[in-house]
Amino acid sequence: MDLQLAGKTAVVTGGSKGIGLALVRVLLAEGMRVVTGSRTITAELKETEAVPVAVDLSTSHGPAELIGKAALVLGGIDLLVNNVGVGDTDDFAKGARLNLLELPDDAWEHTFDLHFYSALRASRAALPYLIERRGTIVNVSSVGARAASAGPADYNVSKAALGALTKLISEQFGGQGVRAITVSPGPVGTGVWTDPDGFVGRLAKARGLPQDVLTEQLIKESGVTTGLLTAPEEVARLIAFLASPVNITGSEHLIDGGMIKHV
């Protein structure tokens, strides 16, 4: 299937690993030119033909810095994917462990800087280029936005805000040809779930369980109908489809193995 992306340009935040790295590979395979920004440039990212930019997207200046460099390299931007997220696993675990009275302001601020404000700032910087090319923004959220009481509270609330940002961009700039879409994965087979030092790995050690046993238990408790982790490549393929010329905007697309069951 030709997605009609060949020759177009993309900026992907958080492209050094996980969903971001899978997306970089998929977009390159579709013939796009890609710039990606992250704090760390991994060996796996260096093996691709993407142009990496070392940048801290949780800072007030980082997203605009990335977009500025990308525009110079690419000559314009057709697609922005706001994917960067999770960050330090200790912060992620803190949001899951502490309740609203216990979780301090700085935890909320860090989480929103990484998951919401990075997307807001990158979108704001990229919009002039996207308007010029009638481009697309895809915001990578989470099913946690629909289940704010389950898992890291600050993370889930920040992702809910990200979904609202999608709606706002779609409404305000749709008349100028810009589409904005939310993709919300459920549990994905990234380092958060698979690395021994990731969130689930640390939780397994704390509970004295093998990591694969806890993974299976958590997936079952989450209500994932298929009983499977979603592969990063599956999320990447969905994003690539939504970035193709289709009349879809302002909507949320779940890829969660049936976890969210309400209409």
Side-chain angles (χ1 to χ4, degrees):
M1 181 178 178
D2 181 8
L3 295 181
Q4 301 177 49
L5 295 174
K8 293 188 176 182
T9 61
V11 180
V12 177
T13 68
S16 62
K17 58 185 179 180
I19 293 171
L21 179 61
L23 179 60
V24 166
R25 289 169 173 159
V26 166
L27 296 181
L28 288 169
E30 290 292 333
M32 298 191 79
R33 293 185 294 136
V34 180
V35 170
T36 181
S38 55
R39 286 187 300 179
T40 304
I41 300 173
T42 60
E44 293 82 2
L45 179 58
K46 289 179 182 179
E47 292 174 355
T48 74
E49 295 180 0
V51 177
V53 177
V55 61
D56 186 348
L57 294 164
S58 68
T59 64
S60 60
H61 59 83
E65 179 184 334
L66 170 63
I67 297 300
K69 290 181 178 179
L72 285 175
V73 170
L74 301 172
I77 300 170
D78 294 295
L79 171 66
L80 168 65
V81 181
N82 289 307
N83 164 76
V84 70
V86 177
D88 185 80
T89 53
D90 286 334
D91 289 337
F92 194 70
K94 186 187 295 182
R97 190 176 68 251
L98 303 179
N99 68 28
L100 189 64
L101 293 176
E102 299 166 332
L103 195 62
D105 283 359
D106 60 356
W108 287 92
E109 290 164 1
H110 174 73
T111 298
F112 265 77
D113 280 342
L114 184 63
H115 298 100
F116 175 76
Y117 281 108
S118 68
L120 171 63
R121 290 161 177 156
S123 299
R124 202 159 46 196
L127 271 166
Y129 304 103
L130 295 167
I131 291 169
E132 180 182 28
R133 297 197 176 193
R134 302 180 70 83
T136 302
I137 294 174
V138 178
N139 290 323
V140 180
S141 181
S142 166
V143 293
R146 294 187 176 215
S149 63
D154 49 344
Y155 173 83
N156 291 343
V157 174
S158 72
K159 290 298 191 178
L162 186 60
L165 178 64
T166 297
K167 293 284 189 182
L168 179 65
I169 294 170
S170 175
E171 287 300 307
Q172 290 192 351
F173 298 98
Q176 294 169 272
V178 176
R179 295 185 301 120
I181 304 157
T182 298
V183 170
S184 295
V188 178
T190 63
V192 173
W193 282 83
T194 61
D195 288 351
D197 290 329
F199 174 67
V200 175
R202 294 185 186 189
L203 190 60
K205 290 176 184 176
R207 295 185 181 182
L209 293 172
Q211 187 169 343
D212 59 342
V213 171
L214 180 61
T215 297
E216 184 176 348
Q217 178 181 320
L218 291 175
I219 291 173
K220 184 175 182 179
E221 290 175 355
S222 297
V224 177
T225 304
T226 63
L228 302 172
L229 290 173
T230 300
E233 293 75 18
E234 294 175 304
V235 182
R237 290 196 297 270
L238 174 60
I239 294 171
F241 168 73
L242 293 169
S244 70
V246 290
N247 191 27
I248 297 173
T249 191
S251 53
E252 180 188 19
H253 298 262
L254 300 175
I255 179 165
D256 66 348
M259 178 178 166
I260 299 298
K261 304 183 189 303
H262 55 264
V263 176

